[in-house]
């Protein structure tokens, strides 16, 4: 039942065809059961593997809503997901709201548990909001950032971190976000190869975030990291990065089995390799894509 005055679009970049655990059908079924139904669902099929940033930008171009929610095609939101996001934005007069994932893969569930997220709704002052599969943003702020930077999601981030990069740019322009503890079921299932490749791509994304943060002189709103602080005076602590990522980590107690810890440990090495590769190849990794003629992929 619609109890607000918004037109709400849900944008889904469909990019996981053939990957174990992905299910666009289950995602759509969950949207059909929402207590507050979306006014439209825009599905962008990324048949040329242009990346989730491209898919989300294409969806924004077609969306009609003043509020735009983002899901991934391997996500299954609970029935009150959209209603909760909208109510949080309206109650706080905020520019966006978002949460995190409930992992269905046993290893990813233990991996996600290492990341401490609050259990209560709150104004986001530390960079909690940014996961692209559980996010709602006001179109007005997306238009504002596009006018300022020339793009919304940065399509140069082909592998990962494009959602965090956007949320950081929005915060630097004064956008206010609300973190909600409501989790979206993440249907992704990992194998050894897919996890290590994913972590390598994540490392590339982090290297680009690092370069972006330094180029723009830091700034409030980036989620806390050993590579950057919450202000311009906080620099990278490379000694701790090397100890935790290259040598460690050593918190095997965080995992139920040695096998899971070994997978996590190898993933940290793969992520470190991706980060280093991103820094060494920085001339070939632009911080944003130049304006260009857009090719369309099928949109349902």
């Amino acid at each position: 039942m619609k109890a607000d005055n918004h037109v709400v679009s849900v944008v889904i970049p469909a990019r996981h065809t053939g990957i174990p655990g992905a299910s666009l059908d289950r995602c759509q079924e969950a949207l059909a059961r929402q207590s507050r139904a979306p006014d439209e669902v825009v599905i962008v099929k990324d048949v040329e593997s242009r990346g989730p940033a491209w898919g989300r930008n294409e969806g924004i171009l077609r969306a009609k809503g003043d509020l735009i929610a983002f899901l991934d095609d391997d996500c299954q939101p609970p029935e009150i997901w959209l209603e909760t996001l909208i109510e949080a934005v309206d109650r706080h007069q905020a520019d966006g709201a978002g949460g995190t994932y409930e992992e269905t893969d046993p290893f990813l569930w233990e991996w996600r548990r290492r990341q401490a997220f609050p259990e209560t709704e709150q104004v986001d002052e530390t960079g909690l909001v940014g996961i692209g599969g559980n996010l709602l943003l006001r179109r007005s702020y997306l238009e504002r950032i596009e006018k300022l930077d020339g793009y919304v999601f940065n399509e140069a981030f082909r592998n990962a971190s494009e959602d965090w990069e956007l949320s950081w740019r929005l915060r630097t322009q004064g956008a206010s976000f609300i973190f909600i503890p409501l989790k979206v079921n993440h249907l992704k299932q990992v194998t050894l190869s897919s996890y290590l490749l994913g972590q390598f791509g994540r490392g590339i994304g982090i290297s680009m975030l690092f370069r972006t943060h330094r180029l723009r002189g830091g700034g409030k709103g980036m989620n806390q990291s050993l590579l950057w602080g919450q202000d311009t005076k906080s620099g990278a602590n490379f000694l701790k990065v090397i100890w935790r990522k290259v040598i460690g980590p050593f918190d095997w107690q965080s995992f139920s089995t040695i096998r899971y810890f070994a997978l996590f440990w190898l993933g940290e090495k793969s992520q470190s390799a991706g980060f280093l590769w991103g820094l060494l190849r920085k001339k070939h990794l632009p911080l944003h894509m130049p304006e260009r003629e857009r090719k369309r992929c099928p949109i349902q």
Side-chain angles (χ1 to χ4, degrees), residues 73-104:
D73 61 349
D74 59 356
C75 290
Q76 188 178 37
E79 292 183 5
I80 60 171
W81 173 70
L82 199 55
E83 177 185 356
T84 302
L85 287 170
I86 296 168
E87 288 180 350
V89 165
D90 285 346
R91 185 165 54 253
H92 296 274
Q93 290 299 295
D95 303 300
T100 183
Y101 290 146
E102 181 69 31
E103 300 289 353
T104 56

Side-chain angles (χ1 to χ4, degrees), residues 40-84:
E40 65 172 351
V41 177
V42 182
I43 300 172
V44 182
K45 294 184 177 180
D46 188 5
V47 297
E48 297 182 17
S49 299
R50 293 172 176 268
W54 178 86
R56 292 185 180 115
N57 283 338
E58 289 293 318
I60 293 169
L61 287 173
R62 295 296 181 97
K64 301 179 178 66
D66 64 291
L67 295 179
I68 302 180
F70 297 93
L71 276 174
D72 284 335
D73 61 349
D74 59 356
C75 290
Q76 188 178 37
E79 292 183 5
I80 60 171
W81 173 70
L82 199 55
E83 177 185 356
T84 302

Side-chain angles (χ1 to χ4, degrees), residues 193-224:
S193 60
S194 68
Y195 179 69
L196 296 183
L197 285 173
Q199 287 298 92
F200 186 84
R202 185 181 298 274
I204 295 173
I206 293 172
S207 74
M208 296 180 70
L209 279 177
F210 175 68
R211 290 171 53 213
T212 302
H213 190 267
R214 296 187 67 180
L215 181 66
R216 293 180 179 237
K220 184 178 180 181
M222 185 77 87
N223 53 321
Q224 191 70 32

